[in-house]
Amino acid sequence: MSELMSKPRLRWACRRGMLELDVLLAPFVEEGYDALTDADKGHFERLLACDDPDLFAWFMGHAKSDDADLQRLIGVILDRVRV
């Protein structure tokens, strides 16, 4: 497995062009990321590499990712940051 991103790099990668994504991803890095397995941390990095329109559609429930690991992680993030 390749080396994982540092927390500062993750925080930077979570700064997206859409407020809806910022309010999901940034709190998750602070509050939930450390509890992930190393495999899921890698999946999270792959998730951050996806395009904003795709992320928006997946997180808002308009579409599902074809990648089962990413789709599962989206559910984890939504469960963790939902108020």
Side-chain angles (χ1 to χ4, degrees):
M1 177 179 213
S2 63
E3 189 162 328
L4 296 170
M5 277 189 217
S6 66
K7 271 294 215 27
R9 286 190 68 202
L10 283 171
R11 286 184 197 107
W12 181 257
C14 286
R15 295 181 68 198
R16 312 303 287 209
M18 303 175 93
L19 178 62
E20 296 87 350
L21 296 177
D22 291 346
V23 299
L24 289 170
L25 297 173
F28 182 77
V29 166
E30 297 304 324
E31 301 164 10
Y33 177 81
D34 291 334
L36 295 176
T37 65
D38 284 346
D40 277 346
K41 288 177 181 178
H43 300 319
F44 185 72
E45 289 186 17
R46 286 194 306 113
L47 186 69
L48 293 178
C50 295
D51 292 332
D52 285 357
D54 291 332
L55 290 173
F56 181 81
W58 298 338
F59 277 108
M60 297 304 127
H62 301 294
K64 291 190 177 201
S65 171
D66 292 335
D67 185 311
D69 291 322
L70 295 186
Q71 188 60 45
R72 181 182 51 76
L73 191 55
I74 289 164
V76 169
I77 294 167
L78 287 171
D79 287 344
R80 180 71 187 210
V81 298
R82 203 164 267 158
V83 289

